[in-house]
Amino acid sequence: MQINKPTDITNTKEWKKLQKHFSTISKGLSKNLSLRELFNKNPNRAKEFSYSVGDLYIDLSKNLITDETVGLLTNLAEKCDLKSAIHSQFFGDHINVTEDRAVLHTALRRKDTDILEVDGQNVVADVREVLFKMYEFADKVRSGEWSGITGKKIQTVVNIGIGGSDLGPVMVYEALKPYADAGIAARFVSNIDPSDFYEKTSDLDPETTLFIICSKTFTTLETLTNARIAKKWLLDKLNAKGITDNAESVRKHFVAVSTALDLVSEFGIDPKNAFGFWNWVGGRYSVDSAVGLSLALTLGPRNFENFLSGFRDVDNYFYNTDLKENVVVIMAMLNIWYVNFFGAATHAVLPYCQYLHRFPAYLQQLTMESNGKSVRWDSSPVLTDTGEVFWGEAGTNGQHAFYQLIHQGTRLIPTDFIAVANPPHPIKDDVDGKQKDVHELFLANFFAQTKALAFGKTADEVRAEGTSEKIVPARVFAGNRPSTSIMSAELTPAFVGNLIALYEQITFVQGIIWGVDSFDQWGVELGKQLALQIEPAISSDNDALQTQDSSTQNLINFYRQNRK
Ligand code: F6P
């Protein structure tokens, strides 16, 4: 079954009511709606706008909303037939219209007893079969039963992949490093810049290194180039040590993850050492498939299963909870509220958790490759802005870089703050004989920032501090800057699964409202094609190949004059 026609949102009475509501509560950053007043009037506001899903505790109360706003936004979601779109997603309808594919990443984390038939095939059984094969392999590598060609235990896995075949694994590996318990570290090579491969491998011992070539299509230029470089690196180094059985070296030191298992064996990797997935898993939605092999190897099968259970908890909540009470839907609709009514162009994601430092980069692909579109799934133009820019940095580093603009700039930037109550490695700091918990100092910043953003500081409060009148305006904080706070008790695999599933589904809901196909990515194709056309002109001195536009030619000439 195909998905319905997209809703012409701006023509709906639900949209018009939102426009009217917007004009009564706010004009840009000026304050017809004041968070100070809303909190003063309603002492239960924080409780009323807080939600639990999986291990996440989510406080939406510091957003520019009232009950009425949430009601109107969720009415719009209903008008866009969100409920049936969610059903289509979970049950394999071809909602990736331009590629005519189902979108079934939720099947990757279903309970092993579930049955989900797509085209007569129980895909949950297929998923479990690959997971079982991954876990068996991971157990062997972790125990040393699978060793390198000289019998040494594998100590480093190098994942070679890009985009969805890199960003998810590297983000989760960084997030869950405290769970890497088998003496195996992971590294990630993604860029075709030769410096990336060099920096990630120059200190590695080939005898203890296992390469994972991770590519959904197994055609991606960057990944295949790096894979060939890796093969040469391994064989050159082993040959220099007198180990000359190249086929066996590749067999022991290379495995692959792909949907194109024929191309994997063409590359020379034994299909027995290849882990498959399916074209109904989008690259940026694939970290919980075999693409997470580096995680199963370093963190272990049990932690990987816990990670999957975190996704599942959010999926179940999202699927089963009424739209009006559903925090995943409400968060997505808040993004629509800020982008399409307040004109916000960006959204900052600020993890107060060093281990989540790659989360903003991961989210950039998830959200921007999904919703950076200007036509809808029926090929008609979009009716509103789509696809805000997601960005961010781990707190408190961001505070000392760009928070100035969020607090006092002219642009409205919605923010998501993320923190865990218990750090994996607590440390006390001795200050004048008193033991201070450093994590509490860190969390104090997390709490302080959203408070400052919401409530600001008035001119009278600034004056009361004895500030000279001339600089009072510079020290006023307008407040009313929206933030969402997300907390969890611990940094666990399930929590990281919760977070990913939360943002996956937020992205999906926004796509449904805007009417875009959140699962294709045609916008990355043109640059790839042009690079292939341009490459011969750069590397050759044959002037006949110089057929570029004048700017590109000018830059190529600069390169040719300067190359050594
Ligand atoms: O950048 C485009 C893209 O197709 C992404 O969507 C994908 O995650 C990435 O390239 C890598 O693709 P593959 O896993 O097929 O190598």
Side-chain angles (χ1 to χ4, degrees):
M1 203 179 96
Q2 295 286 352
I3 195 164
N4 296 337
K5 229 184 103 46
T7 306
D8 288 342
I9 39 175
T10 50
N11 291 335
T12 64
K13 71 172 188 317
E14 288 74 11
W15 187 271
K16 290 187 176 122
K17 280 194 182 162
L18 275 163
Q19 278 178 321
K20 195 157 161 232
H21 177 62
F22 176 72
S23 65
T24 60
I25 66 162
S26 182
K27 295 216 168 25
L29 281 173
S30 78
K31 295 188 234 160
N32 295 338
L33 171 146
S34 149
L35 285 174
R36 278 193 187 218
E37 270 173 37
L38 289 173
F39 274 89
N40 285 342
K41 270 199 226 137
N42 179 5
N44 289 327
R45 182 175 166 90
K47 283 256 151 59
E48 287 171 9
F49 281 111
S50 291
Y51 301 80
S52 291
V53 43
D55 295 340
L56 308 177
Y57 184 71
I58 305 179
D59 178 355
L60 303 182
S61 65
K62 295 197 193 83
N63 280 286
L64 302 177
I65 52 172
T66 62
D67 284 337
E68 189 187 358
T69 324
V70 174
L72 293 173
L73 285 168
T74 49
N75 286 348
L76 178 66
E78 280 172 351
K79 178 71 185 173
C80 295
D81 237 350
L82 178 61
K83 199 81 201 166
S84 89
I86 295 173
H87 184 84
S88 289
Q89 186 212 128
F90 276 66
F91 287 91
D93 291 344
H94 285 204
I95 62 171
N96 179 350
V97 175
T98 71
E99 294 178 318
D100 193 17
R101 285 180 186 166
V103 172
L104 269 176
H105 44 276
T106 53
L108 298 169
R109 55 257 194 166
R110 282 207 183 215
K111 277 220 318 265
D112 50 2
T113 48
D114 278 5
I115 294 177
L116 174 64
E117 294 221 344
V118 176
D119 303 329
Q121 178 72 10
N122 178 12
V123 295
V124 180
D126 295 347
V127 165
R128 295 307 307 182
E129 196 183 313
V130 174
L131 281 173
F132 185 74
K133 185 175 167 187
M134 276 168 68
Y135 294 161
E136 224 180 19
F137 179 66
D139 281 337
K140 280 189 192 156
V141 175
R142 288 163 62 80
S143 68
E145 185 188 334
W146 176 289
S147 61
I149 181 132
T150 55
K152 288 191 185 163
K153 184 175 185 274
I154 297 298
Q155 287 175 6
T156 312
V157 295
V158 179
N159 185 87
I160 296 184
I162 197 163
S165 299
D166 167 71
L167 288 162
V170 70
M171 181 277 280
V172 177
Y173 175 69
E174 289 294 318
L176 295 176
K177 252 186 193 164
Y179 294 83
D181 57 357
I184 302 175
R187 296 202 184 165
F188 297 85
V189 175
S190 54
N191 205 328
I192 198 171
D193 182 337
S195 314
D196 197 16
F197 184 84
Y198 174 80
E199 283 298 330
K200 303 285 172 47
T201 55
S202 60
D203 61 340
L204 292 183
D205 175 355
E207 293 178 55
T208 58
T209 301
L210 176 71
F211 288 98
I212 303 173
I213 312 304
C214 189
S215 172
K216 178 176 170 182
T217 55
F218 228 74
T219 57
T220 304
L221 178 72
E222 291 87 340
T223 300
L224 290 188
T225 306
N226 281 324
R228 281 190 299 274
I229 293 170
K231 205 198 263 184
K232 185 167 173 357
W233 177 89
L234 181 93
L235 297 180
D236 283 355
K237 288 198 180 286
L238 291 178
N239 290 171
K241 292 184 179 195
I243 303 152
T244 52
D245 185 347
N246 289 351
E248 184 61 4
S249 294
V250 171
R251 200 182 73 75
K252 297 296 277 183
H253 293 268
F254 275 82
V255 296
V257 172
S258 186
T259 57
L261 297 180
D262 47 336
L263 298 181
V264 168
S265 70
E266 243 173 63
F267 181 83
I269 296 177
D270 186 344
K272 278 200 227 101
N273 300 334
F275 301 85
F277 61 114
W278 307 269
N279 72 9
W280 41 259
V281 183
R284 53 194 175 274
Y285 298 86
S286 66
V287 63
D288 45 342
S289 71
V291 167
L293 182 62
S294 54
L295 306 171
L297 286 164
T298 51
L299 312 175
R302 196 170 47 87
N303 284 320
F304 198 79
E305 276 292 303
N306 290 339
F307 175 56
L308 296 183
S309 76
F311 285 85
R312 183 159 61 240
D313 289 346
V314 173
D315 289 345
N316 289 342
Y317 168 95
F318 176 60
Y319 187 82
N320 292 317
T321 308
D322 188 80
L323 297 188
K324 297 213 165 277
E325 305 294 325
N326 193 319
V327 68
V328 184
V329 174
I330 297 172
M331 284 179 75
M333 296 311 294
L334 285 180
N335 291 353
I336 300 284
W337 181 229
Y338 294 126
V339 171
N340 296 133
F341 294 87
F342 287 82
T346 83
H347 189 124
V349 178
L350 308 163
Y352 277 65
C353 175
Q354 185 60 30
Y355 283 110
L356 286 174
H357 70 113
R358 292 289 291 166
F359 192 61
Y362 162 77
L363 267 192
Q364 288 186 326
Q365 188 200 15
L366 174 65
T367 58
M368 289 152 71
E369 196 165 84
S370 295
N371 287 338
K373 312 277 163 74
S374 19
V375 290
R376 299 190 289 173
W377 66 68
D378 66 349
S379 294
S380 62
V382 294
L383 302 177
T384 62
D385 274 332
T386 64
E388 67 272 47
V389 175
F390 279 79
W391 58 287
E393 183 68 59
T396 56
N397 299 5
Q399 287 176 213
H400 294 273
F402 50 76
Y403 277 38
Q404 165 66 38
L405 186 147
I406 304 181
H407 281 288
Q408 287 190 315
T410 54
R411 296 167 200 281
L412 179 124
I413 301 177
T415 48
D416 295 352
F417 285 73
I418 304 168
V420 294
N422 297 291
H425 307 294
I427 297 180
K428 297 256 195 246
D429 180 22
D430 189 332
V431 183
D432 301 332
K434 278 201 191 125
Q435 293 295 306
K436 283 207 167 195
D437 183 329
V438 178
H439 188 66
E440 284 183 0
L441 204 56
F442 186 39
L443 280 186
N445 280 277
F446 166 81
F447 297 127
Q449 289 299 326
T450 60
K451 186 178 169 82
L453 287 167
F455 306 122
K457 196 173 191 182
T458 64
D460 285 343
E461 286 166 346
V462 175
R463 279 186 201 105
E465 289 172 344
T467 305
S468 87
E469 197 55 37
K470 217 170 134 207
I471 61 163
V472 166
R475 300 188 62 170
V476 166
F477 288 69
N480 268 351
R481 310 217 166 201
S483 68
T484 291
S485 299
I486 303 176
M487 291 194 77
S488 171
E490 319 258 357
L491 177 69
T492 60
F495 158 68
V496 176
N498 287 161
L499 263 191
I500 298 175
L502 171 71
Y503 282 93
E504 281 178 351
Q505 298 299 7
I506 289 173
T507 304
F508 166 73
V509 175
Q510 287 183 249
I512 295 297
I513 305 301
W514 286 324
V516 299
D517 182 342
S518 300
F519 304 99
D520 63 11
Q521 56 284 318
W522 299 108
V524 296
E525 291 306 321
L526 178 60
K528 286 191 202 170
Q529 274 170 17
L530 291 178
L532 290 176
Q533 286 167 21
I534 290 171
E535 195 261 346
I538 313 176
S539 52
S540 161
D541 283 329
N542 178 354
D543 285 343
L545 287 172
Q546 299 200 14
T547 55
Q548 308 299 326
D549 66 274
S550 61
S551 166
T552 307
Q553 193 57 60
N554 197 28
L555 294 166
I556 292 174
N557 290 345
F558 177 86
Y559 164 73
R560 286 160 64 121
Q561 282 151 19
N562 285 283
R563 72 178 159 197
K564 291 197 185 124

